[in-house]
Amino acid sequence: MAAIAPPGNAGSTARRAHRPDRRFPVAAAPAAALAAIGAGALGVLVLWWQGTGSVTGAAGWLTGAGRITGLLAGYAAPVLLLLMARIPVLEREVGADRLARWHAFGGRYLVSLVTVHVLTIVWGYALTDGRGLLPEGVDIVFHYPEMIKASLGTLVMLGTGAVSARAARRKLSYEVWYYLHLATYLAVALAFGHQLATGADLGDGPAGLAWYALYLGTAALLGWYRLAVPWLRDRRHRLQVAEVRPEGPGVVSLFLTGRRLEELRAEPGQFFRLQFQAPGLRWAANPYSLSAPAHPRFLRFTVKDLGGHSAAVARLRPGTRVRAEGPYGAFTARLHRQRKVLLLGAGVGITPLRALFETLPGEITLVQRARRPEELLFTAELSEVARRRGGRVLALTGSRSQVGDLGTALRRIVPDLASHEVYLCGPEPLAEEAVRALRAAGVRPGAIHRESFAL
């Protein structure tokens, strides 16, 4: 297949096609989602309160603590799965990055609740029955209904929580972590029967029906958006690799072609989870950002060699089939509110910013951070886009000791930094440093839009 023309040639078409519909304030959707989650948790507390009589003695207090933590854990589990269900309105209005952070925080909360639930229930029952913790725990596991499955689910959940901890996560490849993380679905399924069989607060009335609706609704949404929709889109769009183009040391751009690509309605700044139908790659769906506005004939992604998976992507041959989930993410022009915009990126984090630089209205400055000039990406493309649209492209190169304080360096090249809205994407250490520097420079928290690599 012949090489595809650079996406920049279709820039004006992409800008017209992706003008955002700004119907809601930036913070409205996240606030509404959190309010809905909080309302559900409040409902669980009300359910516990209505079913709780007078509490006396240590055994009563411990058993009560076990009941409330069990109910909250049972509510949190499907909520966490819903956050990762790829529901379009959440992905578009809240954003995959924010949803992933909520999911990670909620996962720690869930593990803590489960741990406290197990300890307080066993301890409270042991005091009531007048025997030790171990004999009581064995009796609960083997003689209470659905408890063997619940115990297995608890072990799976705690193990998943352990491998999801930041220290352990750094030592695992994305693919290994991803498949271990899928074990949470098994853990939730194993524990569901226990909640209804031994959960006195649920029973057969409205509370039990609501619990069934929550869990079955979650399963239906997961099945539709995580399995059915990707399969249907794969059948409809028939994506395949058209070209793999070197961009720099260890960096390639991947061009995908297919059918009816305009129906995907992908916006600059969004990403897809790509599953390449090639040996060693077909079982992993990794996230990759669009590095140019979507074109009716192709999609472009830029990939840096960060491990075995991304290195194998660079060796893909034209014609390789690709399954794509997406587009996902709210790191788009929907967030745009101010006339002056700073796009700040480093490494392969420049990819969504490259697409936004071509399409965002206003006075746009793009700053690319790199240790060495040869690590800068898209230099010729960005210069051409800047010439065509009137934006500025700047480079901030050198080691941390050479650059010095990031905020000072940014104010030097962008003097009116505080009056800018900022789109930020890059490795976590740099992103965290940049947020601190931008806040110290007077940029409002609501004007800093951050896309994370930790999805």
Side-chain angles (χ1 to χ4, degrees):
M1 179 177 291
I4 299 175
N9 294 353
S12 60
T13 301
R15 282 192 291 274
R16 287 195 297 272
H18 297 291
R19 192 170 298 279
D21 177 12
R22 298 178 195 160
R23 293 173 293 175
F24 305 105
V26 170
L34 286 176
I37 294 171
L42 181 61
V44 171
L45 291 174
V46 170
L47 176 66
W48 169 78
W49 180 262
Q50 290 179 339
T52 301
S54 59
V55 179
T56 58
W61 283 105
L62 287 167
T63 303
R67 284 175 48 224
I68 184 57
T69 52
L71 283 170
L72 287 172
Y75 168 72
V79 169
L80 291 180
L81 297 182
L82 284 173
L83 293 178
M84 294 289 101
R86 319 283 194 252
I87 299 172
V89 66
L90 292 179
E91 294 283 338
R92 183 177 63 250
E93 301 295 343
V94 178
D97 180 46
R98 183 181 276 112
L99 291 172
R101 291 200 299 271
W102 290 357
H103 179 80
F105 175 81
R108 294 189 288 271
Y109 168 81
L110 175 59
V111 169
S112 299
L113 284 174
V114 170
T115 302
V116 173
H117 169 68
V118 172
L119 293 176
T120 53
I121 281 291
V122 174
W123 194 356
Y125 282 20
L127 289 178
T128 300
D129 295 338
R131 56 182 171 183
L133 291 177
L134 182 59
E136 186 67 40
V138 171
D139 182 63
I140 289 174
V141 170
F142 289 101
H143 294 97
Y144 281 62
E146 299 287 337
M147 276 307 304
I148 292 178
K149 289 192 293 184
S151 300
L152 291 174
T154 299
L155 292 175
V156 170
M157 186 171 294
L158 295 178
T160 304
V163 300
S164 298
R166 182 171 296 184
R169 174 71 180 88
R170 292 196 189 102
K171 299 178 180 178
L172 298 174
S173 69
Y174 176 85
E175 294 78 24
V176 171
W177 171 83
Y178 176 80
Y179 285 107
L180 288 174
H181 211 65
L182 291 180
T184 54
Y185 296 99
L186 174 63
V188 173
L190 287 170
F192 178 64
H194 152 67
Q195 296 173 45
L196 294 169
T198 60
D201 298 283
L202 299 177
D204 298 323
L209 292 176
W211 218 252
Y212 268 111
L214 175 62
Y215 274 78
L216 294 180
T218 298
L221 289 170
L222 284 167
W224 178 250
Y225 288 115
R226 294 295 297 268
L227 299 175
V229 168
W231 183 83
L232 291 171
R233 285 186 174 175
D234 178 56
R235 301 280 294 178
R236 184 168 184 80
H237 298 295
R238 297 289 182 178
L239 289 173
Q240 62 178 295
V241 175
E243 181 187 356
V244 179
R245 182 183 300 176
E247 297 285 0
V251 180
V252 298
S253 280
L254 187 71
F255 291 84
L256 304 184
T257 57
R259 304 183 305 191
R260 304 184 183 98
L261 298 186
E262 68 280 357
E263 295 178 6
L264 290 170
R265 300 178 64 84
E267 299 179 34
Q270 291 189 309
F271 70 94
F272 287 75
R273 286 181 170 85
L274 303 180
Q275 191 173 12
F276 303 99
Q277 303 305 296
L281 298 177
R282 66 179 73 251
W283 299 110
N286 285 32
Y288 294 109
S289 295
L290 289 165
S291 58
H295 189 276
R297 291 192 297 113
F298 58 79
L299 304 173
R300 187 179 87 166
F301 304 88
T302 299
V303 181
K304 184 177 178 61
D305 182 359
L306 297 174
H309 187 279
S310 50
V313 169
R315 299 191 294 269
L316 288 172
R317 295 182 178 181
T320 301
R321 288 288 308 281
V322 184
R323 292 189 65 187
E325 296 180 37
Y328 298 130
F331 192 67
T332 68
R334 294 172 183 268
L335 301 173
H336 180 234
R337 292 294 183 273
Q338 297 179 199
R339 182 172 59 88
K340 294 182 178 181
V341 180
L342 169 64
L343 306 177
L344 175 59
V348 79
I350 196 67
T351 54
L353 303 180
R354 157 67 183 85
L356 288 166
F357 186 56
E358 189 169 335
T359 55
L360 275 179
E363 298 180 17
I364 312 296
T365 300
L366 186 148
V367 175
Q368 187 171 178
R369 175 77 174 92
R371 288 174 297 179
R372 298 182 295 272
E374 57 268 26
E375 294 178 357
L376 297 171
L377 298 178
F378 309 129
T379 51
E381 282 185 36
L382 291 171
S383 296
E384 171 58 24
V385 173
R387 184 195 62 77
R388 192 169 64 241
R389 65 159 298 157
R392 291 198 304 159
V393 179
L394 304 171
L396 193 58
T397 58
S399 65
R400 295 188 65 175
S401 60
Q402 291 172 323
V403 171
D405 177 70
L406 182 59
T408 302
L410 288 173
R411 285 194 297 270
R412 186 169 59 249
I413 58 179
V414 187
D416 54 344
L417 180 60
S419 64
H420 282 67
E421 185 173 37
V422 182
Y423 284 74
L424 169 65
C425 188
E428 288 299 300
L430 177 128
E432 292 172 0
E433 179 188 5
V435 169
R436 290 193 296 268
L438 292 167
R439 292 287 304 277
V443 180
R444 295 183 300 104
I448 302 173
H449 314 306
R450 176 180 173 185
E451 180 83 323
S452 172
F453 286 171
L455 295 176

